Amino acid sequence: MSTAEERVAVTAAPVAARPRGLRTLGLFRNELVVTFRRWRTLALFAILAGIPVVVGIAVKIETSDGGTAGGEGGGPAFISQITNNGLFLVFTSLAVTLPFFLPMAIGVVAGDAIAGEANAGTLRYLLVAPAGRSRLLLAKGWAALVFCASGVLVVTVSALATGSAMFPLGDVTLLSGTSISFSEGLLRALAVAAVVTVSLIGVAAIGLFVSTLTNSGIAAMATTVGLLITVQILDTIPQLHAIQPYLFPHYWLSFADLVRDPVYWDQIMRNFGLQGLYLAVFGSAAWARFTTRDITA
Amino acid sequence: MAPMDPTTDHDPADETSTLRRGKTVRLLVPVGVAGVAAATIGLVPALASSGGSPHPDLPKTSAEKLLTKLAASDVQTVSGTVKITTDFGLPGLLGGSASHARGGSPFGPGPDASKAASEIAKSASSADPSFKLTELVAGSHTLRIAADGPDRQRVSIVEDAAEYSIIHSGDEVWAYDSGSNQAYHAKAPAGHGKHGKAGDERGRLPEGVPTTPSDFAKQALKTVGPTTSVTVGSTTRVAGRDAYRLVIKPKQSGSTVGSIVIAVDADNGAPLKFTLTPRGSGKAAVDVGFTDVGFAKPATKNFRFTPPKGTKVTEAKDRPREDHGLPGGPLNGLGNRLEGFNAVGKGWTTVAEFKLPGGGLDGSVFKEDGKDVPGGLDPQSLLKSLGDKVHGDFGSGTVINSRLFNVLITDSGKVYAGAVTKDVLIAAADKS
């Protein structure tokens, strides 16, 4: 893989002269460039950007005869409000992509982070540079988080563009029935995007940990995505309600609480705490594994 | 390998042992983090529920003083979050159809029940309050309330990514169901709700299941009499506020009510929490309490509602007010058809007695205006599956049990119901 060698050259040469902080920054920047230059990443973004368009068109067709989308409260969250206000397409799109598309994309990127390099035989070159394993892992982790935020932003921007093109915009009626101005609604949409990004931290941490366990990028991706699906299924079985509050997707839909008036923080805070917990446990596990394992590839 | 490892900047001689020790220590880090997390999860709820001191030091008070404080409480403005948990131990089918509007899980109500429920749902707007509030009868719900005097209140039921709100301002009552994007509009009757006690704050909303602690408290206080013991329990904290606990217990045996506990705000006398525990059971059947409360004046925008463009608005028909007392959804109107309604007994052991319309169990009770309620429920087999067969001097009948209410339906078509034990029901049936 030529990009990795290129990167080694970039990091290795000037590194000795630079202070440590800058070295991490350089590593991080390189990770970002490598991640976002991949065709795979761009394809994932294209899929994510396409979903709001599909949802928008579907709602437009369904309501073209004057009916309401979703009927008696069916369908994904917020879908019945899209015809009132295009801004709700942002919330619907995030509710649609959050259970699967977004975490799958993160699983692919995070799962591939270390294992992919090992698979391609480029990991040892990366470690030849005196950057250190902890800092390499940190850079990989940050790149994964930036990817989370970018994925969410792609969905948000695409939904906003589609929503404003197809549906009326204006004052936003919140779930509680009170109205706020459109600009305030836009702020809430951004806050929702931020909460959704935070919601994905748990998956990213698990993906990174799995990635340090194996030398096969595909295996790491498959494990992460498989785990994601399994946990989502466990989260729907009523008999398992005792463990459900500790499953990482359990509070994902809590972003909807930002669209209430007043904002209902209870579940959002739990979500933050849970994601922090997963980050701490799986992040430290990834670090422990990565800094102690034998790198043979 | 060694040069690639960042941990080994030392002498090559120390290298191996340092590496090995470092390895063990590092592998322990995630285990430690997980352990600390597990311990925190175990401890935090215990700490959070107490919120500092579990039993704050408050000046002693008597039951009478506390009751007066509760009754005299003149809290006009309140806003907060109310958690309502009900567990009546209803037979599965009834509980299932009561919670139909959430759509049900794959493991929820059977096809019959959900089909019947959806048919019923179609006949009324899903934003109709009396219909929606019956949902509160089963399970756990979060409500958010705000009140500003007798003229402006709102109650919202928090649902997954949706909310159902009832907003009352002046003579307007709006209900908005964000999940189905439907609204319901009614004009509140004029001249009602002039008495501005906190307990009446929902008085002008379409009545249904009482939802705020005040409503439940009022209801319980009505039954205070010679049949009842009222004492002051240990102090407590509710939603971060110090509170007295008023403990109400029936003196009569035969009641299924174990105790009713009302937490009364030590500062302003507002009821903060209401708990009803059935006799001989540790778990509350009804638990309504603030998890978060403030007594400042809520912002005016809370009480303003304009239906968004595209929202389907159902205007209320001029419904007679008597209808509101029976939020039975499908059972509405049943009350008009009951013959020979009679209350037997006194106080806590009062038993309601009435005749099933049509005499016997020919299934007419399950018909609305001569038409079958869809769902294909055969009343006989339904009863059999729900209750136990009993015999007495009155003949034989079926008793349907729940944790709080018991109902005896005799084969001759009489119904005895109350928050009393099975024996009291049979005795009441024998007497008449």
Side-chain angles (χ1 to χ4, degrees):
Chain A
M1 192 172 271
S2 64
T3 45
E5 278 148 29
E6 208 174 280
R7 183 167 29 156
V8 171
V10 173
T11 27
V15 119
R18 276 195 276 169
R20 292 171 83 89
L22 275 183
R23 250 190 275 169
T24 315
L25 204 68
L27 205 58
F28 169 57
R29 208 181 52 212
N30 283 308
E31 278 306 325
L32 274 190
V33 170
V34 169
T35 307
F36 283 87
R37 252 210 226 143
R38 286 202 167 134
W39 281 108
R40 183 170 65 198
T41 312
L42 298 180
L44 285 172
F45 280 162
I47 293 172
L48 289 175
I51 289 166
V53 180
V54 173
V55 174
I57 291 172
V59 170
K60 195 81 185 168
I61 292 171
E62 197 187 337
T63 57
S64 57
D65 58 352
T68 55
E72 302 280 327
F78 305 109
I79 199 155
S80 59
Q81 273 103 324
I82 295 177
T83 41
N84 305 344
N85 198 320
L87 190 64
F88 276 94
L89 189 59
V90 175
F91 306 133
T92 306
S93 303
L94 287 173
V96 168
T97 50
L98 183 55
F100 189 69
F101 291 100
L102 277 171
M104 186 197 66
I106 275 85
V108 166
V109 169
D112 196 48
I114 306 287
E117 302 274 8
N119 199 25
T122 47
L123 189 54
R124 61 177 128 186
Y125 295 110
L126 276 179
L127 293 174
V128 165
R133 292 187 183 192
S134 303
R135 264 178 293 155
L136 178 65
L137 189 72
L138 202 64
K140 291 277 189 193
W142 273 115
L145 290 188
V146 169
F147 178 80
C148 290
S150 321
V152 174
L153 210 61
V154 165
V155 175
T156 308
V157 169
S158 163
L160 203 57
T162 315
S164 53
M166 288 189 184
F167 302 102
L169 297 176
D171 283 0
V172 183
T173 303
L174 299 170
L175 294 184
S176 313
T178 44
S179 300
I180 53 172
S181 67
F182 180 73
S183 55
E184 209 180 315
L186 214 54
L187 276 181
R188 295 233 186 183
L190 283 180
V192 164
V195 169
V196 170
T197 306
V198 173
S199 301
L200 294 167
I201 288 178
V203 189
I206 292 173
L208 205 58
F209 171 60
V210 173
S211 189
T212 61
L213 295 179
T214 167
N215 281 342
S216 159
I218 300 289
M221 289 183 225
T223 308
T224 311
V225 175
L227 203 67
L228 169 77
I229 296 168
T230 313
V231 171
Q232 299 247 52
I233 292 171
L234 292 183
D235 202 27
T236 61
I237 300 176
Q239 282 76 8
L240 296 177
H241 63 89
I243 58 158
Q244 282 170 356
Y246 308 109
L247 301 178
F248 61 87
H250 189 68
Y251 296 111
W252 274 358
L253 216 54
S254 68
F255 76 81
D257 292 347
L258 282 173
V259 197
R260 302 185 196 282
D261 186 42
V263 173
Y264 184 49
W265 290 105
D266 198 42
Q267 310 273 311
I268 298 174
M269 285 304 155
R270 277 175 209 219
N271 186 22
F272 285 179
L274 196 61
Q275 302 304 329
L277 187 69
Y278 272 82
L279 179 66
V281 172
F282 286 95
S284 63
W287 171 79
R289 163 73 184 164
F290 187 57
T291 52
T292 54
R293 83 188 256 209
D294 288 335
I295 306 292
T296 52
Chain B
M1 275 306 86
M4 287 185 203
D5 197 293
T7 58
T8 52
D9 301 332
H10 320 286
D11 275 341
D14 287 344
E15 213 166 82
T16 330
S17 66
T18 317
L19 192 61
R20 200 167 293 150
R21 208 181 318 132
K23 243 184 184 177
T24 323
V25 170
R26 282 181 191 209
L27 290 176
L28 283 176
V29 170
V31 178
V33 171
V36 168
T40 317
I41 288 165
L43 286 175
V44 161
L47 293 175
S49 66
S50 58
S53 157
H55 300 296
D57 282 328
L58 294 170
K60 284 252 178 301
T61 188
S62 69
E64 198 188 320
K65 271 187 195 156
L66 196 54
L67 272 176
T68 319
K69 190 181 184 100
L70 186 64
S73 169
D74 194 24
V75 176
Q76 294 276 340
T77 57
V78 64
S79 58
T81 308
V82 174
K83 177 125 181 162
I84 168 166
T85 307
T86 48
D87 178 12
F88 291 117
L90 289 174
L93 189 60
L94 297 180
S97 55
S99 62
H100 60 83
R102 302 303 303 266
S105 70
F107 306 90
D112 277 358
S114 52
K115 192 175 144 207
S118 68
E119 288 292 326
I120 293 161
K122 256 179 230 163
S123 66
S125 159
S126 71
D128 189 332
S130 69
F131 183 69
K132 195 83 182 180
L133 286 174
T134 54
E135 269 180 60
L136 297 181
V137 172
S140 186
H141 298 268
T142 303
L143 273 73
R144 309 180 87 193
I145 65 160
D148 180 11
D151 284 329
R152 289 189 297 188
Q153 306 95 28
R154 64 171 294 141
V155 180
S156 298
I157 306 172
V158 175
E159 300 168 347
D160 289 341
E163 200 163 315
Y164 178 80
S165 310
I166 301 172
I167 300 151
H168 165 230
S169 179
D171 57 356
E172 302 263 333
V173 177
W174 281 98
Y176 176 60
D177 181 17
S178 83
S180 62
N181 195 26
Q182 294 190 1
Y184 172 95
H185 181 225
K187 292 262 184 210
H192 184 260
K194 283 272 154 66
H195 35 96
K197 287 273 161 62
D200 294 335
E201 63 200 23
R202 289 191 58 260
R204 290 173 59 182
L205 296 175
E207 268 101 326
V209 181
T211 48
T212 64
S214 343
D215 286 355
F216 277 90
K218 284 214 128 188
Q219 206 62 37
L221 286 176
K222 264 190 207 159
T223 49
V224 169
T227 55
T228 311
S229 99
V230 181
T231 52
V232 178
S234 56
T235 57
T236 184
R237 277 179 79 87
V238 178
R241 296 184 66 91
D242 293 348
Y244 291 106
R245 291 200 312 157
L246 191 65
V247 182
I248 301 165
K249 282 184 178 163
K251 284 179 187 160
Q252 294 160 293
S253 63
S255 167
T256 49
V257 176
S259 70
I260 293 171
V261 178
I262 302 170
V264 181
D265 193 306
D267 183 36
N268 58 23
L272 298 176
K273 193 170 163 72
F274 175 97
T275 314
L276 195 161
T277 314
R279 189 175 294 244
S281 162
K283 196 169 174 293
V286 181
D287 187 279
V288 188
F290 283 105
T291 54
D292 173 45
V293 67
F295 295 102
K297 192 180 164 83
T300 319
K301 72 176 170 103
N302 281 315
F303 308 107
R304 222 176 274 144
F305 178 75
T306 329
K309 281 182 301 236
T311 300
K312 189 178 144 200
V313 178
T314 311
E315 288 290 332
K317 298 182 196 91
D318 293 322
R319 298 196 297 173
R321 295 221 19 112
E322 305 85 74
D323 240 25
H324 292 187
L326 199 94
L331 296 180
N332 258 341
L334 186 64
N336 306 337
R337 294 191 278 141
L338 295 179
E339 302 163 42
F341 184 87
N342 196 8
V344 188
K346 258 196 280 181
W348 295 89
T349 53
T350 306
V351 173
E353 175 196 352
F354 56 88
K355 256 187 141 89
L356 276 182
L361 282 178
D362 60 352
S364 62
V365 67
F366 293 96
K367 291 181 181 176
E368 281 275 337
D369 306 325
K371 277 180 289 181
D372 272 328
V373 173
L377 301 170
D378 170 29
Q380 292 284 6
S381 66
L382 179 70
L383 265 184
K384 238 175 245 165
S385 70
L386 293 178
D388 305 320
K389 206 81 185 151
V390 290
H391 301 277
D393 294 346
F394 64 89
S396 64
T398 308
V399 169
I400 300 176
N401 286 302
S402 78
R403 296 181 65 218
L404 198 58
F405 300 105
N406 289 323
V407 180
L408 166 65
I409 303 171
T410 67
D411 291 347
S412 56
K414 285 192 119 184
V415 178
Y416 300 87
V420 293
T421 58
K422 195 164 84 177
D423 298 337
V424 175
L425 285 180
I426 294 172
D430 286 345
K431 253 185 243 165
S432 59

